[in-house]
Amino acid sequence: MERMRVRTDLALEARESFEGSETEVHGVIVEEEYDEERDIRVTRVRIESERGAKEMGKPMGRYLTLEAPGMASPDENYHREISECLASCLLELMGEPHAREVLVAGLGNRDVTPDALGPKAVSNLLITRHLIREYGKAAVGGEGVNAISGIVPGVMAQTGMETSEILQGVIDQTKPDLVIVIDALAARSTRRLSRTIQLTDTGIQPGSGVGNHRGSLTRESLGVPVIAIGMPTVVEAAAIIYDAQGSCERMPPHLNGMFVTPKNIDETVRQLSYTISEALNIAFFPRT
Amino acid sequence: MERMRVRTDLALEARESFEGSETEVHGVIVEEEYDEERDIRVTRVRIESERGAKEMGKPMGRYLTLEAPGMASPDENYHREISECLASCLLELMGEPHAREVLVAGLGNRDVTPDALGPKAVSNLLITRHLIREYGKAAVGGEGVNAISGIVPGVMAQTGMETSEILQGVIDQTKPDLVIVIDALAARSTRRLSRTIQLTDTGIQPGSGVGNHRGSLTRESLGVPVIAIGMPTVVEAAAIIYDAQGSCERMPPHLNGMFVTPKNIDETVRQLSYTISEALNIAFFPRT
Amino acid sequence: MERMRVRTDLALEARESFEGSETEVHGVIVEEEYDEERDIRVTRVRIESERGAKEMGKPMGRYLTLEAPGMASPDENYHREISECLASCLLELMGEPHAREVLVAGLGNRDVTPDALGPKAVSNLLITRHLIREYGKAAVGGEGVNAISGIVPGVMAQTGMETSEILQGVIDQTKPDLVIVIDALAARSTRRLSRTIQLTDTGIQPGSGVGNHRGSLTRESLGVPVIAIGMPTVVEAAAIIYDAQGSCERMPPHLNGMFVTPKNIDETVRQLSYTISEALNIAFFPRT
Amino acid sequence: MERMRVRTDLALEARESFEGSETEVHGVIVEEEYDEERDIRVTRVRIESERGAKEMGKPMGRYLTLEAPGMASPDENYHREISECLASCLLELMGEPHAREVLVAGLGNRDVTPDALGPKAVSNLLITRHLIREYGKAAVGGEGVNAISGIVPGVMAQTGMETSEILQGVIDQTKPDLVIVIDALAARSTRRLSRTIQLTDTGIQPGSGVGNHRGSLTRESLGVPVIAIGMPTVVEAAAIIYDAQGSCERMPPHLNGMFVTPKNIDETVRQLSYTISEALNIAFFPRT
């Protein structure tokens, strides 16, 4: 039985396709937390069994999703609150705090607006690795300071290389404790666009993302923990047909390769990439 | 009887909604010309009566549509051929050749990818008006040389002014013989995207274009002949639902304000804006 | 006697060329105010006589210059303070407060980094004219609200038109009470770069600015008060030769058309254009 | 005896500082070839001894410099000729032709106009490595086809990593036969700007380039042959003082960190990066 024929990168949406069914999905634990004042909802999905992973179509691990309807608004103060909430989610996934060497990779094509989220986010990060190596930890902020490096590897059509090859090479040379990858995602519903951010400790799977990465970027493949931060910026055109008619039977073939995006996607990607980079800056450099 | 509930800026698509009906639309003349070798189709629609205008939902006048499936490909030589064909269409609409003062306006928002077609096209034009005024016609190319000026007026959210106010002011000051406006359009079908260019001597109507211009830009409103060149770069999301199920009854409300675009829209707009500006350069500065 | 052979757009620098001379310049009044805590210096130059104007090489009128060495730093809080100080200077030049219709023009070439200051500043303005016309003053903020419109006219090489022609046309159509022009300037010394902003009620003179505007933009020429806000972003290469050797005798000819800019000019123009647009937003929309 | 106090990345300029001296520099061989019709001059400097290297301040190896005064003009046909000449120079340095795996790295900061030459050049390359790996050599162009990959590593302030670390990692993973690095250079004279391209098989030395790379990128350091292609886009401000007065004695300290560039540097970098990428495309994919 195929419950979902339309691709989604969100665990939240994968789970929704089971809604209304009588039984819970085995080995999948879901918790919701709603901050009414700020209108931010955090959903924690934990896939704990192979069976749950199979049914969800997502690997075992933890998925935190932050939903905030106001995320698409240009209110700077509200974005600061989202960044803070996102920073907490990230720290929760990272576990016990200690000084880390973190490599942040902005995936996607910087020349394709809805795919440029990751590259733009990396461009606003506080980068410290080179300063610590040059001047010492004391000069930069003390023993507890995190050493952050960043890379924008580009996409295969631009580089001729798998993103995984480039990251593996950089990891081998610089030996970070943790890799964070930021990527634009495809959602199944336009309701998710520009208002949902997903964090997961399962990394990136082949076929995910706006740009459809082919190699996996996971702890297993890269040999270092990988946290993926993703935000849906597009819906594939097929998905809205499916939504409207409950199937893709009358899907016109010329819709292949078509994206649905909000009209203001250029502005949204500019703003939300900043919100994400601020979250990382808050998580790694808390003002004590 | 509503035959079309989904907006289109193309006369070609307006007419297609009557296809299969037994009678011709009164006062609407259609001619097709197909260049097999280059795979370029030119369709001439002439709306000659008020009744035809009403049924088509388009004002009386001439509409030339150039369709070329290969337009989305990056082949430079093919684009040169499209530019030449487009130049012929433009000269056909302009009528008797003589030295003109032409103001070219690139409509739309340069910061929104699918709306940036017009601004980008103007940035590649050969601009001569200031040279002729400074050095004389002889220095620039002889008596027959055209004086070209260009403007990118921006959109109302950026300027607080109607595009028509800005153009009227500039026209009053500089008194061109002809205004050409270049604009990104909304089509009804994704099959039109990035492969169709429409030229019309009816100018721009309120509500048209990706950015939804409010004032009309026509010979009547501006007091000078206006030729509009448009290329569809988006389809409204509602339109693909309509296409798939034949109605918009189950149209989800959150699809409002959503666009369907090809994945490579950034690259396409860059290339096709150049193809359009080259067509104008060929039309105005033929290598004799 | 030629005291200055190197062009400057700053009244402050024009005056400095007289320093050390025994007599004051007749009809030129200079006042300095220094805010030690914030390290911001405001200099008011008032040229009150034709003779003073001739000696200074600047038209009669008021010139306020704000100097802040920290302006090139990326500290957001400090930039907020500069924006507030700049807003006060602007209000001082504007005179008695009342609800105004203001057209803000961002001069210069947006595709040439050091000349893009004006275009970038306009892109961050709060634009209200269209909202007031559509929804009424009450909806936007009450009777006292200012109606702001903005335009980026481009430069003559792009448009074939004088900036003055375009602005005159737009002014005739939209009838603002005040025009504010924002422009990148050429300074004589690199010490002025990215740390000096000049405001004047004399508008823009022919030959000024990075892009060398040819027509004047003044109350006399446009028929409406004009305030010019300028920031030096370049020094002509000739000027630093002059500075070093006290003359331009051994000026190599290939230095013509060469600019001196700081290495981080792209970043600086991005940031300072924002600081200027924030100043206008504060001046026109005070949080009461 | 210090003959040169102002930095240059050009072997040609290093040599010129000896001009007028009676003796040749030992172990430095210079040949000039001038194509009068196309007004392109190619100078070959070969540094063959340690003593020559020391006197020149450049490592032993071959340096080809292509000078074309028309390079700054926008004539497309002329740029094609320059690309072809540059392709020949590149093939000359590469030696015996055979199918290669080549990694092309675009050094510099894409957000700083005069430093963006390399990143922009890489964005126009024909990238084939991934196609060959996916579809085989036969599908892409036969046994002799070159496998090209490209990377834009960013600068240390953006990444926290040395460019050499990133390249070493990518080289270890993808094992190219040859690395080509493209970089914007600093010249000593504005006469070299936008009209000179240098190719060398000595790679990149610490301290070179507009962005001042710290690690060396050479055959010795990376373990694979490295060809560097560089074009001067800036002159340090100190250099023009030196040129004018023959010393830097009266060098004002505030000139540190100042660049001299032509006014049209944005346009020039756009065009010349394309000329360079076309040269690589011609060299690697000759139309037979």
Side-chain angles (χ1 to χ4, degrees):
Chain A
M1 192 183 67
E2 270 191 78
R3 302 201 202 190
M4 245 193 28
R5 292 197 275 218
V6 177
R7 166 181 157 224
T8 175
D9 291 328
L10 291 177
L12 206 66
E13 289 191 336
R15 192 185 145 262
E16 280 168 355
S17 61
F18 296 99
E19 260 171 50
S21 66
E22 282 160 35
T23 53
E24 296 277 308
V25 183
H26 183 83
V28 178
I29 297 164
V30 181
E31 287 171 13
E32 267 191 32
E33 183 186 329
Y34 179 54
D35 178 338
E36 198 166 346
E37 195 189 337
R38 299 189 296 174
D39 194 13
I40 300 178
R41 183 183 308 273
V42 174
T43 307
R44 289 171 176 79
V45 176
R46 189 185 283 260
I47 305 181
E48 297 196 327
S49 71
E50 286 297 346
R51 186 173 145 197
K54 201 177 163 192
E55 294 210 29
M56 294 282 285
K58 298 275 161 209
M60 286 168 59
R62 288 184 293 165
Y63 301 84
L64 271 68
T65 312
L66 185 157
E67 291 174 280
M71 215 184 273
S73 87
D75 178 340
E76 279 177 36
N77 292 328
Y78 189 53
H79 277 265
R80 178 81 191 172
E81 290 181 357
I82 296 167
S83 292
E84 279 165 3
C85 179
L86 193 50
S88 303
C89 292
L90 178 59
L91 291 169
E92 181 182 330
L93 278 186
M94 282 170 57
E96 214 174 308
H98 60 89
R100 284 180 171 88
E101 302 235 347
V102 183
L103 172 65
V104 184
L107 306 189
N109 186 340
R110 68 167 79 229
D111 298 328
V112 172
T113 305
D115 202 18
L117 182 82
K120 280 183 195 290
V122 166
S123 74
N124 283 314
L125 283 184
L126 292 176
I127 297 293
T128 52
R129 180 178 177 270
H130 59 307
L131 300 174
I132 291 169
R133 289 165 72 93
E134 180 112 10
Y135 304 110
K137 287 201 157 192
V140 176
E143 270 315 300
V145 76
N146 292 292
I148 309 299
S149 54
I151 192 156
V152 175
V155 297
M156 201 162 61
Q158 297 172 323
T159 65
M161 300 180 277
E162 299 275 358
T163 300
S164 53
E165 290 179 296
I166 298 172
L167 291 193
Q168 187 71 67
V170 172
I171 289 165
D172 289 350
Q173 283 289 314
T174 63
K175 307 204 187 317
D177 307 314
L178 172 66
V179 171
I180 294 179
V181 292
I182 305 173
D183 199 13
L185 304 181
R188 214 183 66 180
S189 163
T190 56
R191 271 167 301 189
R192 299 285 179 212
L193 296 184
S194 314
R195 59 181 61 190
T196 312
I197 298 173
Q198 174 177 276
L199 300 94
T200 175
D201 59 6
T202 61
I204 299 264
Q205 316 308 318
S208 74
V210 171
N212 270 317
H213 309 295
R214 301 195 332 171
S216 69
L217 304 173
T218 62
R219 180 176 207 141
E220 289 68 40
S221 65
L222 296 177
V224 57
V226 180
I227 290 176
I229 301 178
M231 192 187 75
T233 59
V234 303
V235 167
E236 292 189 58
I240 71 169
I241 300 286
Y242 183 90
D243 259 22
Q245 64 189 27
S247 79
C248 283
E249 277 159 35
R250 279 179 293 172
M251 224 299 268
H254 51 81
L255 285 183
N256 276 328
M258 293 286 163
F259 271 156
V260 182
T261 60
K263 286 196 191 187
N264 59 345
I265 182 71
D266 298 73
E267 178 57 22
T268 301
V269 165
R270 207 173 305 134
Q271 184 168 47
L272 288 177
S273 64
Y274 185 78
T275 302
I276 291 174
S277 59
E278 277 299 283
L280 269 68
N281 292 339
I282 292 168
F284 291 126
F285 305 100
R287 300 186 188 174
T288 48
Chain B
M1 191 185 67
E2 271 189 80
R3 302 204 202 193
M4 243 192 28
R5 291 194 274 213
V6 177
R7 169 181 156 222
T8 175
D9 292 327
L10 291 176
L12 207 67
E13 288 191 336
R15 192 186 144 262
E16 281 169 353
S17 59
F18 296 99
E19 258 170 49
S21 65
E22 282 159 33
T23 54
E24 295 277 309
V25 183
H26 182 83
V28 177
I29 296 163
V30 180
E31 287 171 15
E32 268 191 29
E33 183 187 328
Y34 179 56
D35 178 339
E36 197 168 345
E37 193 188 337
R38 297 188 296 173
D39 194 14
I40 299 178
R41 183 182 307 274
V42 175
T43 307
R44 289 170 177 78
V45 176
R46 190 185 281 260
I47 304 181
E48 295 196 328
S49 72
E50 286 297 346
R51 186 174 145 195
K54 201 176 161 193
E55 294 211 28
M56 293 282 285
K58 298 273 161 211
M60 286 169 59
R62 288 184 295 164
Y63 301 84
L64 272 68
T65 311
L66 186 156
E67 291 173 280
M71 215 183 273
S73 87
D75 179 340
E76 279 176 36
N77 292 328
Y78 189 55
H79 276 266
R80 178 80 191 175
E81 291 182 356
I82 295 168
S83 292
E84 279 164 3
C85 179
L86 192 51
S88 303
C89 291
L90 179 60
L91 291 168
E92 181 181 331
L93 278 187
M94 283 170 56
E96 213 174 308
H98 61 89
R100 285 181 171 87
E101 303 234 349
V102 183
L103 172 65
V104 184
L107 307 190
N109 186 341
R110 68 166 78 230
D111 297 328
V112 173
T113 306
D115 202 19
L117 183 82
K120 280 183 193 290
V122 166
S123 74
N124 282 315
L125 284 182
L126 292 176
I127 298 293
T128 52
R129 179 178 178 270
H130 60 305
L131 300 174
I132 291 169
R133 290 165 71 92
E134 179 112 11
Y135 304 110
K137 286 199 159 196
V140 177
E143 271 316 299
V145 76
N146 292 291
I148 309 299
S149 54
I151 192 158
V152 175
V155 296
M156 201 162 60
Q158 296 173 322
T159 65
M161 300 180 279
E162 299 275 357
T163 299
S164 54
E165 290 179 296
I166 297 172
L167 291 192
Q168 188 70 67
V170 171
I171 289 166
D172 290 349
Q173 283 289 314
T174 64
K175 305 202 186 320
D177 306 316
L178 171 66
V179 171
I180 294 179
V181 291
I182 304 173
D183 200 11
L185 304 182
R188 214 184 66 180
S189 164
T190 55
R191 271 167 300 189
R192 300 284 180 213
L193 295 184
S194 313
R195 58 182 60 190
T196 312
I197 297 173
Q198 174 176 274
L199 300 93
T200 175
D201 60 5
T202 60
I204 298 265
Q205 317 308 317
S208 75
V210 171
N212 272 313
H213 308 296
R214 301 194 334 171
S216 68
L217 303 173
T218 63
R219 180 176 208 141
E220 289 68 40
S221 65
L222 295 176
V224 59
V226 180
I227 290 176
I229 300 178
M231 191 187 77
T233 58
V234 303
V235 168
E236 292 189 57
I240 70 169
I241 299 285
Y242 183 92
D243 260 22
Q245 63 188 30
S247 80
C248 284
E249 275 160 37
R250 280 179 293 171
M251 226 296 267
H254 51 82
L255 285 182
N256 276 328
M258 293 285 161
F259 272 157
V260 181
T261 60
K263 285 197 191 187
N264 59 346
I265 182 72
D266 297 74
E267 178 57 24
T268 302
V269 165
R270 209 174 303 135
Q271 184 168 46
L272 288 177
S273 64
Y274 185 77
T275 302
I276 291 174
S277 58
E278 276 301 282
L280 270 68
N281 291 339
I282 293 168
F284 292 125
F285 306 99
R287 300 185 188 174
T288 49
Chain C
M1 191 184 65
E2 270 190 80
R3 300 203 203 191
M4 243 191 29
R5 292 195 274 215
V6 177
R7 169 184 155 219
T8 175
D9 292 326
L10 291 177
L12 206 66
E13 289 191 335
R15 192 184 145 263
E16 281 169 353
S17 60
F18 296 99
E19 260 171 47
S21 65
E22 281 161 35
T23 53
E24 295 280 307
V25 183
H26 183 84
V28 177
I29 297 162
V30 181
E31 287 170 14
E32 267 191 30
E33 184 187 329
Y34 179 55
D35 177 338
E36 199 168 344
E37 195 189 336
R38 298 189 296 174
D39 193 14
I40 301 178
R41 184 182 309 272
V42 174
T43 308
R44 289 171 176 78
V45 176
R46 189 184 283 260
I47 305 181
E48 296 197 326
S49 71
E50 286 295 347
R51 185 174 147 199
K54 200 176 163 193
E55 294 211 28
M56 293 282 285
K58 298 274 162 210
M60 286 168 58
R62 289 183 293 165
Y63 301 84
L64 270 68
T65 311
L66 185 157
E67 291 173 280
M71 215 185 272
S73 87
D75 178 340
E76 280 176 36
N77 292 328
Y78 189 55
H79 276 265
R80 178 80 192 176
E81 291 181 356
I82 295 167
S83 291
E84 279 165 5
C85 178
L86 192 51
S88 303
C89 292
L90 177 59
L91 291 168
E92 180 181 330
L93 278 186
M94 282 170 58
E96 213 175 311
H98 61 89
R100 285 181 171 88
E101 302 235 348
V102 183
L103 172 64
V104 184
L107 307 189
N109 185 340
R110 67 167 79 229
D111 298 329
V112 173
T113 305
D115 202 18
L117 183 81
K120 280 183 195 289
V122 166
S123 74
N124 283 314
L125 283 184
L126 292 175
I127 297 294
T128 52
R129 179 178 177 270
H130 60 306
L131 300 174
I132 291 169
R133 290 165 72 93
E134 179 113 9
Y135 304 109
K137 286 201 157 190
V140 177
E143 271 315 300
V145 75
N146 292 292
I148 309 299
S149 55
I151 192 157
V152 175
V155 297
M156 201 161 61
Q158 296 172 322
T159 65
M161 301 181 278
E162 298 275 357
T163 300
S164 54
E165 290 179 296
I166 297 172
L167 291 192
Q168 188 70 67
V170 172
I171 290 166
D172 290 350
Q173 283 289 315
T174 63
K175 306 205 186 322
D177 307 315
L178 171 66
V179 171
I180 295 179
V181 292
I182 305 173
D183 200 13
L185 303 181
R188 213 184 67 180
S189 163
T190 55
R191 270 167 301 189
R192 298 287 180 212
L193 295 183
S194 313
R195 59 182 61 192
T196 312
I197 298 173
Q198 174 176 277
L199 300 94
T200 173
D201 59 6
T202 61
I204 298 266
Q205 317 308 318
S208 74
V210 171
N212 270 316
H213 309 295
R214 301 193 333 171
S216 69
L217 303 173
T218 62
R219 179 174 209 144
E220 291 66 42
S221 66
L222 296 176
V224 58
V226 180
I227 291 176
I229 301 178
M231 191 187 77
T233 59
V234 303
V235 167
E236 292 190 57
I240 70 170
I241 300 286
Y242 183 91
D243 259 22
Q245 64 188 28
S247 79
C248 284
E249 276 160 37
R250 280 179 293 172
M251 224 299 268
H254 52 81
L255 285 183
N256 275 329
M258 293 285 162
F259 272 156
V260 182
T261 60
K263 285 197 191 187
N264 59 345
I265 182 71
D266 298 72
E267 178 57 23
T268 302
V269 165
R270 208 174 305 136
Q271 182 167 49
L272 288 177
S273 64
Y274 185 78
T275 302
I276 291 175
S277 58
E278 277 299 282
L280 269 68
N281 292 339
I282 293 169
F284 291 127
F285 305 99
R287 300 185 188 175
T288 49
Chain D
M1 189 182 69
E2 272 189 77
R3 301 202 203 191
M4 241 190 31
R5 290 195 274 216
V6 177
R7 169 184 155 219
T8 175
D9 292 327
L10 292 176
L12 207 66
E13 288 191 338
R15 192 185 145 261
E16 282 169 354
S17 59
F18 297 98
E19 260 170 48
S21 65
E22 281 160 36
T23 53
E24 295 278 309
V25 183
H26 182 83
V28 177
I29 297 163
V30 181
E31 287 171 13
E32 267 192 31
E33 184 187 328
Y34 179 55
D35 177 338
E36 198 166 347
E37 194 188 337
R38 299 189 295 174
D39 194 14
I40 300 178
R41 183 182 308 272
V42 174
T43 308
R44 288 171 177 78
V45 176
R46 190 185 282 261
I47 305 182
E48 296 195 328
S49 71
E50 287 296 346
R51 184 172 146 197
K54 201 175 162 195
E55 294 211 30
M56 293 282 285
K58 299 273 162 211
M60 287 169 58
R62 289 184 292 164
Y63 301 84
L64 271 67
T65 311
L66 186 157
E67 291 174 280
M71 213 184 275
S73 88
D75 180 340
E76 279 176 35
N77 291 328
Y78 189 53
H79 276 266
R80 178 82 192 171
E81 291 181 356
I82 295 168
S83 292
E84 279 164 3
C85 179
L86 192 51
S88 304
C89 292
L90 178 59
L91 291 168
E92 181 181 330
L93 277 188
M94 282 170 56
E96 214 174 310
H98 61 89
R100 283 181 174 87
E101 302 234 349
V102 183
L103 171 65
V104 185
L107 306 190
N109 186 341
R110 67 167 80 229
D111 298 328
V112 172
T113 305
D115 201 19
L117 183 82
K120 279 182 195 289
V122 166
S123 74
N124 282 315
L125 284 183
L126 292 176
I127 298 292
T128 52
R129 180 178 178 270
H130 60 306
L131 301 173
I132 291 168
R133 289 166 71 93
E134 178 113 11
Y135 305 110
K137 287 201 157 191
V140 176
E143 270 316 299
V145 76
N146 291 291
I148 309 298
S149 54
I151 192 157
V152 176
V155 296
M156 201 162 60
Q158 297 172 322
T159 65
M161 301 180 278
E162 298 276 356
T163 299
S164 54
E165 290 179 295
I166 297 172
L167 291 192
Q168 188 70 66
V170 171
I171 290 165
D172 290 348
Q173 283 288 315
T174 64
K175 306 204 186 317
D177 306 316
L178 172 67
V179 171
I180 295 179
V181 291
I182 305 172
D183 200 12
L185 304 181
R188 213 183 66 180
S189 163
T190 56
R191 270 167 302 188
R192 300 286 181 211
L193 295 184
S194 315
R195 59 182 60 192
T196 312
I197 298 173
Q198 174 176 278
L199 300 92
T200 175
D201 59 6
T202 61
I204 298 264
Q205 316 309 315
S208 75
V210 171
N212 270 316
H213 308 294
R214 301 193 333 170
S216 68
L217 303 173
T218 62
R219 181 176 207 141
E220 289 67 41
S221 65
L222 295 176
V224 57
V226 180
I227 291 176
I229 301 177
M231 191 186 77
T233 59
V234 303
V235 168
E236 293 189 57
I240 70 170
I241 300 285
Y242 183 91
D243 259 22
Q245 64 189 26
S247 79
C248 284
E249 276 160 37
R250 278 179 294 171
M251 227 294 271
H254 51 82
L255 285 182
N256 276 328
M258 293 285 162
F259 271 158
V260 182
T261 60
K263 285 197 192 189
N264 59 347
I265 182 72
D266 298 72
E267 178 57 24
T268 302
V269 166
R270 209 174 303 135
Q271 184 167 48
L272 289 177
S273 64
Y274 185 78
T275 302
I276 291 174
S277 58
E278 277 300 283
L280 269 68
N281 292 338
I282 293 168
F284 291 125
F285 306 99
R287 301 183 189 177
T288 48

